[in-house]
Short mmCIF file of all heavy atoms in Angstrom, two decimals:
data_model
loop_
_atom_site.label_atom_id
_atom_site.label_comp_id
_atom_site.label_asym_id
_atom_site.label_seq_id
_atom_site.Cartn_x
_atom_site.Cartn_y
_atom_site.Cartn_z
N TYR A 268 114.36 86.07 100.86
CA TYR A 268 113.29 86.38 101.81
C TYR A 268 112.23 87.24 101.11
O TYR A 268 112.51 87.86 100.09
CB TYR A 268 113.84 87.14 103.03
CG TYR A 268 114.39 88.51 102.64
CD1 TYR A 268 113.57 89.65 102.75
CD2 TYR A 268 115.64 88.65 102.10
CE1 TYR A 268 114.03 90.90 102.35
CE2 TYR A 268 116.11 89.92 101.72
CZ TYR A 268 115.31 91.01 101.84
OH TYR A 268 115.76 92.24 101.45
N GLY A 270 109.75 89.00 103.35
CA GLY A 270 109.37 90.09 104.26
C GLY A 270 109.65 89.73 105.70
O GLY A 270 110.67 89.06 106.01
N GLY A 271 108.73 90.11 106.58
CA GLY A 271 108.98 90.02 108.02
C GLY A 271 109.43 88.67 108.55
O GLY A 271 110.37 88.60 109.33
N VAL A 274 113.12 88.12 107.54
CA VAL A 274 114.03 89.04 108.22
C VAL A 274 114.13 88.65 109.70
O VAL A 274 115.22 88.67 110.29
CB VAL A 274 113.58 90.54 108.04
CG1 VAL A 274 114.48 91.45 108.82
CG2 VAL A 274 113.59 90.89 106.57
N TRP A 563 120.28 96.84 112.58
CA TRP A 563 119.24 97.82 112.24
C TRP A 563 119.48 99.20 112.83
O TRP A 563 118.80 100.15 112.43
CB TRP A 563 117.86 97.26 112.66
CG TRP A 563 117.50 96.10 111.86
CD1 TRP A 563 117.41 94.78 112.30
CD2 TRP A 563 117.20 96.04 110.46
NE1 TRP A 563 117.06 93.96 111.27
CE2 TRP A 563 116.93 94.68 110.13
CE3 TRP A 563 117.14 96.98 109.44
CZ2 TRP A 563 116.59 94.28 108.83
CZ3 TRP A 563 116.79 96.58 108.16
CH2 TRP A 563 116.55 95.25 107.85
N ALA A 633 105.95 101.26 105.81
CA ALA A 633 106.46 100.32 104.83
C ALA A 633 106.21 98.91 105.32
O ALA A 633 106.58 98.62 106.46
CB ALA A 633 107.93 100.53 104.58
N ARG A 634 105.62 98.12 104.53
CA ARG A 634 105.33 96.70 104.89
C ARG A 634 104.68 96.02 103.73
O ARG A 634 104.35 96.63 102.72
CB ARG A 634 104.42 96.67 106.14
CG ARG A 634 103.21 97.61 106.05
CD ARG A 634 102.48 97.66 107.39
NE ARG A 634 103.39 97.85 108.52
CZ ARG A 634 103.82 99.04 108.94
NH1 ARG A 634 103.44 100.15 108.31
NH2 ARG A 634 104.62 99.14 109.97
N LYS A 640 96.80 94.97 106.87
CA LYS A 640 97.75 96.01 107.20
C LYS A 640 97.26 97.40 106.78
O LYS A 640 97.81 98.42 107.18
CB LYS A 640 99.11 95.73 106.63
CG LYS A 640 99.73 94.42 107.15
CD LYS A 640 101.23 94.52 107.26
CE LYS A 640 101.84 93.18 107.70
NZ LYS A 640 103.03 93.31 108.55
N TYR A 704 110.55 97.68 98.06
CA TYR A 704 110.89 97.63 99.49
C TYR A 704 111.72 96.37 99.77
O TYR A 704 111.27 95.27 99.51
CB TYR A 704 109.59 97.61 100.28
CG TYR A 704 109.75 97.52 101.81
CD1 TYR A 704 110.59 98.39 102.45
CD2 TYR A 704 109.01 96.65 102.56
CE1 TYR A 704 110.71 98.37 103.85
CE2 TYR A 704 109.11 96.59 103.95
CZ TYR A 704 109.97 97.46 104.59
OH TYR A 704 110.09 97.44 105.95
N ASP A 705 112.87 96.54 100.29
CA ASP A 705 113.71 95.39 100.70
C ASP A 705 114.63 95.89 101.81
O ASP A 705 114.54 97.04 102.26
CB ASP A 705 114.48 94.76 99.52
CG ASP A 705 115.62 95.63 99.05
OD1 ASP A 705 115.73 96.82 99.52
OD2 ASP A 705 116.44 95.16 98.27
N MET A 706 115.54 95.02 102.25
CA MET A 706 116.40 95.39 103.35
C MET A 706 117.23 96.62 103.07
O MET A 706 117.50 97.44 103.95
CB MET A 706 117.27 94.23 103.77
CG MET A 706 116.51 93.09 104.42
SD MET A 706 117.54 91.64 104.79
CE MET A 706 118.32 92.20 106.32
N ALA A 709 114.93 99.51 103.48
CA ALA A 709 114.34 99.55 104.82
C ALA A 709 115.26 100.27 105.80
O ALA A 709 114.83 101.06 106.63
CB ALA A 709 114.08 98.12 105.29
N TYR A 713 114.18 103.13 108.50
CA TYR A 713 114.25 103.01 109.95
C TYR A 713 115.19 104.03 110.59
O TYR A 713 114.94 104.50 111.65
CB TYR A 713 114.70 101.59 110.33
CG TYR A 713 113.87 100.46 109.73
CD1 TYR A 713 114.47 99.27 109.32
CD2 TYR A 713 112.50 100.59 109.58
CE1 TYR A 713 113.73 98.23 108.77
CE2 TYR A 713 111.75 99.58 109.00
CZ TYR A 713 112.37 98.41 108.60
OH TYR A 713 111.62 97.40 108.05
N GLU A 728 97.93 91.59 113.43
CA GLU A 728 99.41 91.68 113.30
C GLU A 728 99.98 90.82 114.42
O GLU A 728 99.86 91.12 115.56
CB GLU A 728 99.81 93.13 113.52
CG GLU A 728 101.32 93.36 113.43
CD GLU A 728 101.72 93.81 112.04
OE1 GLU A 728 101.56 93.07 111.08
OE2 GLU A 728 102.25 94.92 111.95
N GLY A 731 104.88 92.23 114.28
CA GLY A 731 105.34 93.44 113.62
C GLY A 731 106.73 93.70 114.18
O GLY A 731 106.96 93.64 115.37
N THR A 732 107.67 93.96 113.30
CA THR A 732 109.02 94.28 113.80
C THR A 732 109.59 95.55 113.24
O THR A 732 110.58 96.07 113.75
CB THR A 732 110.00 93.13 113.43
OG1 THR A 732 109.85 92.87 112.02
CG2 THR A 732 109.74 91.86 114.21
N SER A 733 108.98 96.13 112.23
CA SER A 733 109.59 97.30 111.58
C SER A 733 109.59 98.46 112.60
O SER A 733 110.56 99.22 112.67
CB SER A 733 108.88 97.69 110.29
OG SER A 733 107.49 97.80 110.52
N GLY A 734 108.52 98.60 113.40
CA GLY A 734 108.46 99.66 114.40
C GLY A 734 109.58 99.50 115.44
O GLY A 734 110.06 100.50 116.00
N LYS A 736 112.54 98.39 114.75
CA LYS A 736 113.79 98.85 114.14
C LYS A 736 113.84 100.37 114.11
O LYS A 736 114.89 100.95 114.31
CB LYS A 736 113.88 98.30 112.72
CG LYS A 736 113.87 96.77 112.66
CD LYS A 736 113.78 96.29 111.20
CE LYS A 736 113.22 94.87 111.12
NZ LYS A 736 112.83 94.55 109.73
C1 LIG B 51 111.47 94.33 109.32
C2 LIG B 51 111.09 94.13 107.91
C3 LIG B 51 109.81 93.69 107.58
C4 LIG B 51 108.77 93.34 108.62
O1 LIG B 51 108.07 94.47 109.06
P1 LIG B 51 106.67 94.36 109.76
O2 LIG B 51 106.60 95.50 110.71
O3 LIG B 51 106.66 93.05 110.50
O4 LIG B 51 105.66 94.44 108.66
C5 LIG B 51 109.51 93.51 106.25
N1 LIG B 51 110.44 93.77 105.29
C6 LIG B 51 111.65 94.21 105.59
C7 LIG B 51 112.59 94.48 104.47
C8 LIG B 51 112.03 94.38 106.91
O5 LIG B 51 113.28 94.81 107.18
#
Side-chain angles (χ1 to χ4, degrees):
Y268 65 95
V274 176
W563 295 110
R634 45 189 49 84
K640 298 215 185 212
Y704 180 48
D705 73 350
M706 290 176 79
Y713 306 144
E728 179 96 298
T732 50
S733 52
K736 300 174 204 165

